[in-house]
């Protein structure tokens, strides 16, 4: 037997052989061969193991490289990998699905889409949520530290912190060096004109979906994708007209301390709205900062009793149905008593009044008798033709429906004849007036620029002869009646005042008025309707305390037309010329010897 022992003092093993074993050992050559074979076998095993390790390493490397290439091709970055499927952020909008721009009729940009960065976090990777929240509030001052901390302390893998950062905010957040925070490229809607066209434009939500105005009405067109690409939207608005309109309304709203104001400018031949303003307004870039009252569109959504402006419809109805002639009239000596109500004139003449005088002096008694003679049935049908009894059509969702009386008998016909008992929107009123002065054609209004082939009338509401008479009567109101302050020299303005008490809780509030003036110009060949309204104006020293439409709303129209006339390429006229005087002449009463040339 042999013994194999190790010595702690020597690195080599020491072998001790017994005598019998030593005798049987081969000679030196045999021993050398055996040791050489053992060494070769050991070397071969090592080589095989190295080859196997190399193969395994190569396989792992190829798998990892393939995964990285796949992630690069799919566009998924680290920020998507960290989020669980349930908490993952929405997909990034591509150039193909970018929301289309909106422009005014002259190509001025009203809405566009900008690329922005949005900040989100993986709370599990945020080392110190409290410290991170404190740092973030120094950059994102509109966020509350406690709110940020609660988000960073959540158990989710993904949480939005702030959408649509400015480039400066993105840089500052990145400079904080907080682990677990990431940016995501998104799109944000931007409105260069701010509040100027807010009620027409509307706005979008954080995901770029329209939720008000034309942004909502044309959401599918603007946000088109795939085979149906997004399409640019061209509006009928003219920002120059819009600016002048908003400026004049704001100025007079301040002068008369009104709680609100509204106005619009419409092309009576096409139905295109060139200007639409409702005050107070809001900035569509940050709609959440404004109240519901600021977002309320007084032109299209608000409905009001429009007062004596309705006498335009009553007079046109009486003349067009033939129940009264231009030289006819009614006795306005005494108030009308009917059904427990009394109908009287604010400035009574206490005599018989001709049709032009009834309109010029704004006689409630004369208008009531004129409508009563036509009768409730025909009266209701006439207003329906003018689109005053149903919800109007316009390319914005904020549209108000008229409020009709629960019954429509003789008394209702009388009160509606001078603008009480039926509530309509300023949009409806202006569209109806456009039909009265444009030759009698009702044309649907629009906030989208119309091509020439789309400029067609919907229906004929009055004859061209009646329309011509009404133009002269409206001019008479500005020349000699209640609308004198609406005059704009050279532009031959015509119109009608309207002052009505607001109905609150089923009762009229005497100290709260809606003062409005609806007009057209130039009256020898009308092209535009202009409307202005003040909500609860107060009188002042300049108006001698009066707050009616002739003192408060009419001046808005006069100043506005003087400003926009040149923009609209309307050449000023010599209002005193013989040709204009003849074109606008109308006999006021039967005592006049001159005859109108109709």
């Amino acid at each position: 037997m042999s013994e194999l022992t190790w010595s702690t003092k020597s690195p080599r093993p020491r072998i001790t052989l017994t005598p019998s074993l030593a005798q049987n050992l081969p000679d030196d050559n045999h021993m050398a061969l055996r040791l050489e074979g053992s060494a070769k076998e050991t070397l071969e095993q090592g080589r095989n193991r190295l080859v196997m390790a190399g193969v395994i390493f190569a396989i792992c490397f190829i798998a990892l490289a393939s995964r990285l290439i796949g992630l690069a091709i799919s566009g998924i970055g680290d920020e998507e990998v960290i989020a669980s499927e349930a908490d993952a952020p929405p997909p990034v909008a591509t150039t193909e699905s970018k929301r289309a721009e909106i422009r005014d009729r002259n190509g001025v940009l009203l809405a566009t889409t900008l690329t922005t960065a949005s900040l989100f976090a993986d709370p599990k990777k945020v080392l110190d949520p409290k410290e991170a929240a404190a740092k973030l509030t120094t950059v994102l001052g509109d966020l509350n530290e406690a709110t940020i901390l609660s988000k960073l302390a959540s158990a989710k893998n993904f949480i939005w912190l702030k959408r649509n950062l400015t480039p400066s905010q993105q840089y500052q957040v990145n400079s904080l060096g907080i682990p677990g925070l990431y940016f995501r490229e998104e799109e944000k809607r931007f409105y260069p004109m701010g509040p100027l066209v807010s009620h027409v434009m509307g706005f979008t939500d954080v995901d770029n979906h329209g939720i008000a105005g034309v942004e909502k009405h044309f959401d599918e067109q603007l946000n088109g994708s795939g085979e149906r690409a997004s399409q640019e939207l061209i509006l009928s608005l003219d920002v120059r007209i819009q600016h002048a309109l908003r400026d004049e309304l704001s100025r007079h709203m301040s002068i008369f301390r009104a709680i609100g104001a509204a106005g619009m400018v419409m092309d009576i031949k096409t139905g295109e709205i060139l200007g639409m303003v409702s005050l107070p307004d809001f900035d569509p870039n940050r709609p959440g900062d404004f109240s519901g009252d600021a977002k309320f569109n007084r032109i299209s959504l608000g409905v009001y009793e429009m007062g004596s402006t309705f006498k335009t419809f009553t007079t046109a109805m009486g003349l067009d149905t033939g129940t009264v002639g231009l030289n006819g009239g009614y006795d306005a000596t005494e108030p009308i008593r009917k059904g427990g109500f009394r109908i009287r004139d604010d400035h009574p003449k206490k005599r018989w009044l001709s049709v032009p005088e009834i309109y010029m002096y704004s006689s409630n008694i004369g208008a009531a008798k004129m409508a009563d003679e036509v009768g409730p049935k025909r009266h209701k049908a006439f207003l329906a033709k003018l689109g005053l009894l149903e919800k109007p059509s316009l390319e914005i969702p904020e549209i108000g429906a008229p409020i009709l009386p629960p019954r429509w008998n003789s008394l209702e016909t009388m009160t509606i004849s001078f603008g009480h008992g039926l509530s309509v929107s300023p949009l409806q009123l202006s569209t109806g007036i456009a039909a009265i002065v444009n030759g009698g054609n009702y044309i649907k209004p629009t906030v989208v620029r119309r091509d020439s082939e789309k400029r067609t009338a919907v229906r004929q509401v009055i004859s061209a002869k009646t329309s011509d008479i009404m133009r002269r009567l409206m001019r008479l109101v500005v020349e000699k009646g209640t609308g004198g302050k609406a005059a704009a020299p050279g532009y031959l303005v015509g119109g009608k005042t309207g002052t009505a008490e607001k109905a609150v809780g089923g009762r009229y509030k005497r100290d709260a008025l809606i003062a409005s003036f609806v007009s057209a110009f130039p009256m020898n060949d009308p092209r535009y309707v202009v409307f202005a309204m003040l909500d609860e104006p107060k009188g002042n020293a300049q108006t001698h305390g009066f707050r009616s439409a002739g003192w408060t709303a009419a001046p808005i129209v006069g100043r506005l037309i003087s400003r926009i006339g040149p923009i609209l390429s309307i050449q000023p006229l010599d209002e005193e010329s013989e040709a204009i005087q003849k074109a606008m002449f109308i006999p006021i009463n039967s005592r006049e010897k001159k005859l109108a040339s109709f």
Side-chain angles (χ1 to χ4, degrees):
M1 297 295 292
S2 64
E3 295 180 357
L4 180 63
T5 62
W6 294 87
S7 171
T8 58
K9 297 181 179 179
S10 174
R12 296 182 180 180
R14 182 175 59 198
I15 302 175
T16 304
L17 300 178
T18 61
S20 60
L21 182 59
Q23 293 178 356
N24 294 325
L25 282 175
D27 55 22
D28 292 341
N29 292 333
H30 287 92
M31 177 61 73
L33 289 174
R34 288 184 180 181
L35 290 174
E36 184 179 353
S38 176
K40 289 182 178 179
E41 183 179 352
T42 302
L43 184 62
E44 186 66 26
Q45 289 177 353
R47 184 184 295 111
N48 291 339
R49 289 173 181 173
L50 286 174
V51 171
M52 183 62 67
V55 170
I56 294 173
F57 179 78
I59 292 174
C60 293
F61 179 80
I62 292 171
L64 181 60
S66 299
R67 177 58 176 163
L68 290 174
I69 293 172
L71 291 175
I73 294 174
S74 65
I76 302 175
D78 293 340
E79 54 268 34
E80 285 78 22
V81 174
I82 66 171
S84 67
E85 184 176 350
D87 297 328
V92 178
T94 64
T95 303
E96 293 181 355
S97 64
K98 189 173 183 179
R99 193 172 180 89
E101 293 179 340
I102 302 176
R103 297 178 180 272
D104 85 335
R105 65 186 304 108
N106 299 312
V108 177
L109 187 64
L110 302 179
T112 189
T113 302
L114 303 178
T115 300
T116 64
S118 291
L119 177 65
F120 69 96
D122 178 0
K124 295 181 180 179
K125 294 187 177 182
V126 178
L127 303 180
D128 189 339
K130 187 174 182 179
E131 181 185 3
K135 288 183 176 181
L136 284 172
T137 53
T138 63
V139 176
L140 309 175
D142 56 331
L143 296 183
N144 182 274
E145 183 176 341
T147 302
I148 297 177
L149 180 59
S150 66
K151 290 182 177 182
L152 296 179
S154 71
K156 294 184 178 181
N157 292 328
F158 171 86
I159 193 75
W160 282 118
L161 292 178
K162 183 176 176 61
R163 310 285 288 273
N164 304 129
L165 276 70
T166 65
S168 176
Q169 287 176 323
Q170 182 184 9
Y171 174 80
Q172 293 179 62
V173 170
N174 200 40
S175 298
L176 294 176
I178 302 173
L181 301 186
Y182 307 93
F183 297 101
R184 183 68 179 269
E185 187 177 283
E186 291 194 297
E187 294 178 352
K188 177 176 174 58
R189 202 63 165 165
F190 177 64
Y191 304 93
M193 295 298 166
L196 182 61
V197 288
S198 55
H199 287 98
V200 177
M201 296 300 301
F203 50 92
T204 61
D205 61 15
V206 70
D207 293 314
N208 255 7
H209 297 297
I211 55 176
V214 294
E215 288 279 25
K216 182 175 182 179
H217 184 88
F218 292 100
D219 188 58
E220 185 176 344
Q221 172 183 327
L222 295 167
N223 238 11
S225 59
E227 295 181 358
R228 186 171 184 176
S230 55
Q231 301 177 26
E232 185 180 63
L233 180 63
I234 305 297
L235 300 184
S236 61
L237 297 181
D238 186 324
V239 294
R240 300 170 300 174
I241 306 299
Q242 187 81 0
H243 171 73
L245 178 59
R246 185 175 185 269
D247 185 52
E248 290 298 336
L249 287 171
S250 298
R251 180 175 182 272
H252 287 81
M253 181 178 168
S254 176
I255 290 173
F256 298 111
R257 294 170 291 147
I259 65 172
M264 65 180 289
V265 178
M266 174 191 287
D267 187 324
I268 68 172
K269 297 185 183 297
T270 67
E272 293 172 297
I273 296 174
L274 277 66
M276 179 190 287
V277 173
S278 176
L279 298 176
D281 52 20
F282 65 97
D283 187 347
N285 292 300
R286 44 189 185 91
D289 294 347
F290 295 84
S291 66
D293 182 55
K295 297 173 187 174
F296 184 83
N297 191 338
R298 284 174 161 81
I299 286 288
S300 62
L301 186 56
V303 292
Y304 313 92
E305 293 185 355
M306 299 305 300
S308 294
T309 57
F310 257 60
K311 289 170 185 168
T312 306
F313 304 132
T314 303
T315 305
M317 175 183 65
L319 294 171
D320 205 61
T321 57
T323 55
V324 66
L326 187 60
N327 292 323
Y330 299 91
D331 184 9
T333 305
E334 297 292 336
I336 300 173
R337 299 182 183 277
K338 190 176 184 68
F341 292 90
R342 187 176 71 139
I343 299 173
R344 61 180 181 82
D345 288 341
D346 289 333
H347 306 285
K349 300 299 179 181
K350 296 187 177 182
R351 61 177 175 84
W352 183 91
L353 298 175
S354 67
V355 169
E357 288 177 321
I358 289 170
Y359 191 71
M360 179 176 65
Y361 297 136
S362 198
S363 170
N364 294 337
I365 298 171
K369 289 185 175 181
M370 193 185 307
D372 190 48
E373 192 170 358
V374 173
K377 186 175 181 179
R378 287 197 294 174
H379 183 211
K380 188 175 182 179
F382 182 80
L383 296 183
K385 285 196 301 181
L386 288 166
L388 297 171
L389 304 186
E390 61 182 8
K391 193 174 181 178
S393 172
L394 194 67
E395 300 91 348
I396 56 176
E398 296 80 23
I399 301 294
I403 302 176
L404 279 61
R407 58 181 183 278
W408 200 309
N409 297 322
S410 177
L411 178 61
E412 286 70 35
T413 283
M414 285 185 171
T415 60
I416 292 172
S417 72
F418 53 87
H420 288 269
L422 173 64
S423 297
V424 300
S425 67
L427 171 67
Q428 289 177 288
L429 175 72
S430 300
T431 306
I433 293 295
I436 294 297
V437 300
N438 72 359
N441 298 310
Y442 179 86
I443 301 175
K444 286 184 178 180
T446 181
V447 292
V448 178
R449 191 176 66 185
R450 277 182 173 156
D451 299 326
S452 56
E453 61 269 16
K454 296 180 180 179
R455 299 173 181 177
T456 56
V458 175
R459 53 184 173 267
Q460 186 85 15
V461 293
I462 58 173
S463 67
K465 179 180 178 181
T466 302
S467 179
D468 182 52
I469 295 173
M470 292 308 302
R471 290 198 290 265
R472 299 170 190 241
L473 289 174
M474 291 177 69
R475 174 59 184 167
L476 186 64
V477 170
V478 175
E479 277 191 306
K480 301 181 179 181
T482 57
K485 293 187 178 299
Y491 292 104
L492 212 62
V493 180
K496 186 71 185 77
T497 53
T499 306
E501 296 173 356
K502 291 176 70 173
V504 180
R507 301 179 63 86
Y508 289 109
K509 190 177 178 182
R510 294 190 62 84
D511 60 344
L513 301 179
I514 292 291
S516 61
F517 191 86
V518 63
S519 67
F521 78 102
M523 294 311 294
N524 63 324
D525 183 18
R527 183 61 192 270
Y528 300 99
V529 161
V530 178
F531 171 85
M533 180 185 83
L534 291 175
D535 190 350
E536 297 189 22
K538 283 80 176 175
N540 56 31
Q542 292 181 336
T543 67
H544 310 287
F546 292 111
R547 52 202 172 97
S548 58
W551 289 96
T552 59
I556 301 174
V557 171
R559 287 177 55 89
L560 178 63
I561 291 176
S562 294
R563 291 179 65 173
I564 68 175
I567 298 174
L568 297 170
S569 300
I570 302 296
Q571 294 295 324
L573 302 168
D574 181 3
E575 297 181 355
E576 302 301 322
S577 69
E578 184 178 350
I580 294 297
Q581 289 294 314
K582 183 178 180 181
M584 291 289 98
F585 173 74
I586 192 166
I588 296 178
N589 55 55
S590 58
R591 293 190 296 273
E592 290 199 8
K593 296 181 180 180
K594 295 181 180 180
L595 297 177
S597 55
F598 300 129

